[in-house]
Every structure is written in structure tokens, then in C-alpha cells.
Amino acid sequence: MVVTARQRLIEEFLHEAGLAKTGMVGVTQPRRVAAMTVAKRVAQEMGTQLGEGVGYTIRFEDVTSPNTKVKFLTDGMLLREAMLDPMLKSYSVIILDEAHERTLHTDVLFALIKGIMVKRKDLRLVIMSATLEAEKFAEYFRQFPVDVYYADEKEVQPLYLVDYMDAALLTVLQLHLEKPAGDILLFLTGQEEIEHMTKLLEQKARTFGPEAMKARRSFSRFCSSDVILATNIAETSITIPGIKYVIDTGVVKERMYNAKIGIDSLTVVPVSKAAARQRSGRAGRESAGECYRLYREESFLRFAESQVPEIKRANMASVVLQLKALGIQDVTRFDYMDPPPLDSLKKSIELLTVLGALDSENKLTSPIGRNMAALPLDPLLSKTLIMSEKFGCTEEILIIVAMLSGESIFFVPRGDKKKQAELAHRRFHSIEGDHITLLNIYKAYQQATNKNNFCYESFINSRTIKHIQEVWRQLGDYCRQLGIERKSCGENTETIRRCLTSGFFLKAALAKIHPSSVLFTKKPLCVLYNQLVMTKQKYMREVVVIDQNWLVELAPNFYAKRSVVGSHRQGK
């Protein structure tokens, strides 16, 4: 991973110019990995230990000290800091990096900092953004020329490829066999596609010989690779050296929110023109490069100029809750750079009211609403954690919430060991669903004498579960600060599922369950889900079985006995 000069030098210049004498230089990044990576690089170049002169803060991890002068943090963390320090007095300079990505939190920060600067004449604001004009982009990054090739119109009938995976595989093979040596960067939409493509490439590698082709997931440190598979994180936040060829599938997975039915989902959609240009730009960092777009030029011309800001398409409930905690009562008149849809704001207020975070006058309730705002979690998770004290299962819910807040802990190897991994995972499966399965795994991990051996034998990602353990520890600290008593229900899993229903009743449904769920082959009457994934079909992920009568009992203001789930939630 390479940090660009723009990312690492601006902060150093500001520090050397003395602008950090009266406060910190705060640098926001839209992604955790970027905040951590850039902070480590800048600390090295400034000759200071990470966490001292230079540090970073991301959700559930604070690597700073009273001596920190340059602080990297996610935009969401700066927004949370504004809740405690509305004037951001600890900062003398704030840099909003990758501002063109227009994340939900960055858009809110635009407005907040704009208001703060009216009162704080000493605060300096720097906005860094990738330009949308290719000439300026090339000049700014001293980029080499990149030849762009589109799919043949005779071969591609739709505006962009439906089965782009096959086209991507074919393009990789053609580049490998017919072009001069050079690393290939292939853009895909997520972990599942990356794992599937890795498997396909490894199968082809055996055909060409063991040294003919190597494939890896993006940013792996274990092998030198010809083919790098990445999501859109490689568009801007991370620069990978040695890329000569880029394959652009023309699609990206985005979180979309439907305010009419109150459901958010991960959906594969076409990229914007700006994103397509960013992708092609990855090929020309060190030498002339080539970009192969797996769609027609006509398709590119129909793409939106830039990505729709997250604030226009996301569930606003978390942001509305934070704005209320900041004392902003009328969230519809807040000075957004791009106002979110009014329906989305209304639906968020309705959701928070149903959850008990807002009262009939749309004011933050106490203690539930204020405690929910204090927890760095989605409102449904924070409500569930708060309610766990009443149900007497705080210890179990803490584990489940921490597990849902991290990446997948399962390691599924390819080849001969795949069946062995499936059998190892099956030991923890619960017929009651994925939440109880995750709880079983974490308990077994805690009880293991040799945790590394446990992860190895159980095919569990040790790095991920260690991170989850740290999240669990910090959530426990939040509970202590909020006065939430930690109780355990032991083996009473019905209590756990009832508690989950009290927070996730809005996500009760009958729908297709994702193949990764332990309930995939079952046909439960009623379930709660954590995520809805939109591919060619709708799939629920992280699913737990409940009794539909609990919905009427625990959310009487939302559910009527005659409807519950069957009449209006089926298939959503």
C-alpha cells in the first residue's frame, strides 16, 4: 500500500508552519484503513512514534495521546467529537480529505464546520478532493498517459455487462497471455466476488502452470502478485504500486435506503463517470498504462457525472440522532450542502420515535434517546444493547453486537480443506439462527486455552476476532459509563431472541435467506435480519428465528395482530 504525496505531505507542511501550536491538525478520511495507513506513514516521516506526535482515531480504537499534534480520524469520529466539543476547540486546522466521495458524515461536517468558522476565526479548513477533469487530475498527480478501451459493441448488448464476472476473467487471461508484464488491478463489488474470482483464477493457473499466474485479495502481504482484486476502496484511498492494467467492471455495491418501505440494502449499481476516471487513473501512476472498461462507451456517457452523495441515498436515522444530541431540533432546516430527501428525514424521525429515542415532540428522550446517541452503533443495535439490561442478557447481547459490528470471522479455504472448514463451522451452528451461532463461537474462543490453535482448528479469522474482542471491551466501557448493568441469561437463548426482537422488530420478515446463513436450508416462519443484500435476488444476512407473537408483545405501537409479518413484510 502506498500513501500519496498529497495525503502525507500537507499535514507535515501545516505542522512545520506552526499551525499546530494552538491545536491539533485533524485529518478526516472516509475509511478506517486509510486513516490508519496514512497516520502510520506520516508518523514514520515525521520521526515520531505512532500515538505520540501523530495518531489516529477510528471507531473502537484511539491511538493518540496528549502530545498528539496531527490526528487522522474517520469523518464519523470527527462528527462524534463535535457532540462533545461543539466548537472543536482542540483543533486549529481541519482537513477533509477525499471530499469528492461525499460520504454521509462528510456532508454533515461541511455544514457543521461552516457554522463553527463563523464563530471561530482562528480555525482553518482545508478541503482536499480529486478533480473530475482528466487533465487537471493528470497534472496534479503527475500521471502518465492511460489508454482506455471499451467493450466491443458487437459483443455487448446491454448498456453494461450483466455477467461481468465472465468478461473480467476472460480479460485477465488475455492480458496475461498477450500483453507485456505488469500488474493487473480488477475492480469487483465485494468479498464474495473477490473470493469467487480468486477461485476461478487459481483454477486457470493450474492450467497454465503454477508460476504462470498468481491471484490474491487486495492488500495481501503473503505473495507477490500479478492480479490484484479490489473493491472501490482502491479508487482513491489506497494507491497500489506497479499497476499497469486496470479492468473496470463498471459496477459498485452501494447502500441504498428506500424511505417508502423503510428498508436499506446493499445494491450493485453502475459507477459514476468520476469513479470510472478514478479507476482508469490507477494504471498510470508509475508508467503508461491501459484501462479496459467492460461496458460500451455509450454506457459510460449515460453514467452520472459523480457519485450520488451518501446523504441522498442513506438511512438518516443515525445522523438525525446525533444532530438531536448536538441540540439541533429542526433537522429538516439544517444547513446541509445537499439536503437529504425529506421522506428520508421523516422516516428516520418516525423510526427513532418508534424505537423510543424521540418523544411526541421529536425531542431526544432521556435516558433511552441520549444513551442511544452516546453509543457508536446503528440505532437498532444501540436500542437492543440498552434493552438487554431489562431482559437480563447484557453479556450475551454485548457479544452479539460486537460480532455484528465486525467483518466476517469465518475463513473458508478452497480446495481439499473447504469441506473440513464447513464441518468445523458446523460445530457452532444453532438452529435458532446466526446470532446464536456467533455467540457460540465467541464463547468457545473466550474459553480456549490456546486461542491461536482454536482459530486454526476452527477455521476462524484470528485477526478479525481479536478486533471484535476489542470492540466488545470498549462497548463494555460504554455500558459502564451509561450505568447499564451487565447481566447474563446463561443458556436461555429465548431471552436473547426476545431482546433482539425489542430492537430489531423493524427488520422482521419472510424472505430468501443468504447462503452464508445457517438457516439457508430452513424455512422458518418468522425471522429478524441484520442486512438485506440485493444481487439478482433479495437475500437476508445474519438471521435469527423469532416467534411472530413477540412482535405484537414487544412493539405494539408498530405491529397489529392482524398484520404482524405475513401481510405486509413478506419478501422485503
Side-chain angles (χ1 to χ4, degrees):
M1 295 184 293
V2 174
V3 179
T4 65
R6 172 178 60 88
Q7 287 177 310
R8 72 177 190 266
L9 295 178
I10 298 288
E11 302 82 19
E12 295 179 37
F13 292 157
L14 292 172
H15 180 265
E16 292 172 2
L19 292 177
K21 289 182 179 179
T22 58
M24 289 186 292
V25 175
V27 190
T28 68
Q29 295 286 340
R31 299 180 180 86
R32 295 160 50 98
V33 65
M36 296 166 62
T37 303
V38 181
K40 291 175 183 177
R41 178 62 182 273
V42 172
Q44 290 175 355
E45 294 198 355
M46 293 180 65
T48 181
Q49 183 179 347
L50 185 65
E52 289 297 317
V54 178
Y56 67 86
T57 299
I58 58 178
R59 195 169 69 138
F60 301 123
E61 189 172 355
D62 184 4
V63 185
T64 61
S65 71
N67 299 323
T68 300
K69 292 298 184 182
V70 179
K71 178 178 176 180
F72 292 84
L73 67 169
T74 56
D75 43 16
M77 287 306 301
L78 184 60
L79 187 57
R80 295 198 70 83
E81 287 189 14
M83 293 170 57
L84 302 175
D85 179 15
M87 297 302 292
L88 296 174
K89 294 178 181 177
S90 58
Y91 295 94
S92 58
V93 181
I94 293 175
I95 302 174
L96 300 180
D97 197 6
E98 308 291 8
H100 65 279
E101 291 198 18
R102 303 294 301 278
T103 67
L104 179 61
H105 290 130
T106 298
D107 262 35
V108 174
L109 285 172
F110 284 153
L112 280 177
I113 296 174
K114 175 184 175 183
I116 293 172
M117 292 182 71
V118 173
K119 301 175 183 177
R120 278 194 58 191
K121 303 299 183 182
D122 61 318
L123 181 63
R124 299 289 185 269
L125 174 65
V126 179
I127 296 177
M128 297 199 294
S129 171
T131 178
L132 296 184
E133 289 119 336
E135 292 182 1
K136 288 185 178 180
F137 185 90
E139 180 182 352
Y140 185 75
F141 287 100
R142 297 180 185 147
Q143 186 163 318
F144 293 91
V146 176
D147 293 328
V148 177
Y149 302 94
Y150 291 91
D152 192 328
E153 294 189 15
K154 296 179 181 179
E155 299 177 2
V156 184
Q157 295 303 317
L159 285 179
Y160 62 95
L161 288 178
V162 175
D163 196 357
Y164 52 83
M165 293 290 283
D166 286 344
L169 176 62
L170 179 61
T171 306
V172 169
L173 297 178
Q174 288 179 329
L175 290 175
H176 180 75
L177 296 173
E178 301 173 4
K179 289 287 184 176
D183 284 357
I184 302 168
L185 174 60
L186 169 57
F187 283 96
L188 298 170
T189 67
Q191 179 180 349
E192 290 182 20
E193 287 187 0
I194 288 175
E195 290 181 349
H196 180 58
M197 182 61 70
T198 301
K199 182 178 180 180
L200 294 175
L201 289 171
E202 287 176 343
Q203 290 173 349
K204 294 297 182 182
R206 287 191 287 271
T207 302
F208 294 112
E211 298 301 323
M213 182 182 298
K214 297 175 183 177
R216 65 164 179 167
R217 292 188 183 93
S218 179
F219 315 137
S220 170
R221 299 179 181 179
F222 300 108
C223 65
S224 175
S225 171
D226 294 322
V227 185
I228 296 98
L229 312 179
T231 64
N232 62 323
I233 190 175
E235 288 177 10
T236 54
S237 296
I238 301 296
T239 299
I240 306 171
I243 300 299
K244 188 174 182 64
Y245 307 103
V246 166
I247 301 173
D248 178 12
T249 54
V251 287
V252 66
K253 190 178 289 183
E254 289 185 345
R255 188 169 295 280
M256 309 292 287
Y257 181 65
N258 187 326
K260 292 183 179 179
I261 57 178
I263 289 180
D264 54 352
S265 61
L266 287 172
T267 306
V268 176
V269 298
V271 298
S272 65
K273 290 179 181 176
R277 293 188 181 106
Q278 290 280 9
R279 292 182 177 190
S280 64
R282 302 296 97 183
R285 289 306 178 99
E286 298 179 355
S287 64
E290 297 177 358
C291 175
Y292 294 84
R293 292 176 173 168
L294 305 183
Y295 45 87
R296 301 186 312 199
E297 187 171 10
E298 177 189 354
S299 179
F300 173 79
L301 295 175
R302 294 191 181 187
F303 287 166
E305 287 295 331
S306 58
Q307 181 185 19
V308 177
E310 190 178 1
I311 200 168
K312 289 282 192 181
R313 52 182 169 80
N315 185 340
M316 290 289 292
S318 293
V319 173
V320 169
L321 189 61
Q322 291 182 14
L323 290 176
K324 292 287 185 180
L326 286 165
I328 299 167
Q329 294 303 323
D330 191 350
V331 295
T332 62
R333 296 191 178 185
F334 184 65
D335 189 15
Y336 306 98
M337 179 171 286
D338 275 313
L342 188 59
D343 285 347
S344 179
L345 288 173
K346 289 181 178 179
K347 196 68 179 182
S348 296
I349 291 172
E350 177 186 324
L351 181 151
L352 293 171
T353 302
V354 171
L355 288 174
L358 300 180
D359 60 22
S360 58
E361 297 180 351
N362 295 336
K363 294 182 179 180
L364 206 62
T365 59
S366 183
I368 290 180
R370 296 201 175 278
N371 285 352
M372 285 175 63
L375 289 166
L377 297 168
D378 178 87
L380 301 188
L381 288 172
S382 61
K383 175 63 182 295
T384 303
L385 183 54
I386 290 168
M387 293 299 293
S388 67
E389 181 181 23
K390 176 182 176 181
F391 283 89
C393 58
T394 311
E395 293 291 353
E396 289 74 21
I397 293 298
L398 268 174
I399 293 172
I400 292 172
V401 169
M403 294 288 266
L404 293 176
S405 299
E407 301 174 359
S408 174
I409 61 170
F410 297 107
F411 173 64
V412 182
R414 285 162 291 280
D416 298 337
K417 288 193 174 183
K418 182 177 181 181
K419 191 68 176 180
Q420 186 180 345
E422 291 174 350
L423 290 173
H425 294 159
R426 200 172 298 167
R427 292 188 293 118
F428 306 106
H429 283 188
S430 168
I431 60 173
E432 294 174 313
D434 302 315
H435 298 65
I436 308 303
T437 297
L438 293 173
L439 177 63
N440 293 340
I441 293 172
Y442 192 84
K443 283 184 174 180
Y445 175 77
Q446 282 185 315
Q447 294 169 4
T449 304
N450 190 321
K451 290 180 169 45
N452 288 332
N453 281 351
F454 169 82
C455 291
Y456 179 79
E457 294 171 359
S458 303
F459 291 88
I460 298 297
N461 188 314
S462 60
R463 179 188 61 81
T464 301
I465 202 165
K466 285 178 182 176
H467 172 69
I468 288 170
Q469 191 174 36
E470 177 61 19
V471 172
W472 169 81
R473 186 191 65 77
Q474 292 200 27
L475 286 175
D477 291 342
Y478 276 103
C479 286
R480 186 179 64 256
Q481 294 167 14
L482 298 176
I484 298 174
E485 184 179 352
R486 295 175 63 164
K487 304 175 183 178
S488 173
C489 64
E491 301 301 319
N492 188 348
T493 55
E494 179 178 320
T495 296
I496 297 170
R497 291 184 293 124
R498 285 172 61 84
C499 180
L500 289 167
T501 304
S502 71
F504 274 80
F505 59 85
L506 290 159
K507 289 189 174 182
L510 299 173
K512 291 186 180 293
I513 297 173
H514 195 271
S516 64
S517 170
V518 299
L519 298 176
F520 177 58
T521 59
K522 308 288 191 300
K523 300 295 181 185
L525 177 63
C526 185
V527 297
L528 302 175
Y529 65 90
N530 185 50
Q531 288 188 78
L532 189 66
V533 178
M534 302 283 290
T535 53
K536 293 180 180 178
Q537 300 186 69
K538 295 179 183 178
Y539 286 108
M540 296 182 292
R541 300 193 69 161
E542 295 93 40
V543 180
V544 66
V545 179
I546 64 167
D547 184 332
Q548 65 178 0
N549 292 319
W550 297 347
L551 296 169
V552 179
E553 175 191 348
L554 299 171
N557 295 331
F558 190 77
Y559 287 99
K561 287 186 178 180
R562 60 180 175 80
S563 64
V564 189
V565 173
S567 65
H568 72 286
R569 297 299 244 195
Q570 187 165 356
K572 293 181 182 178

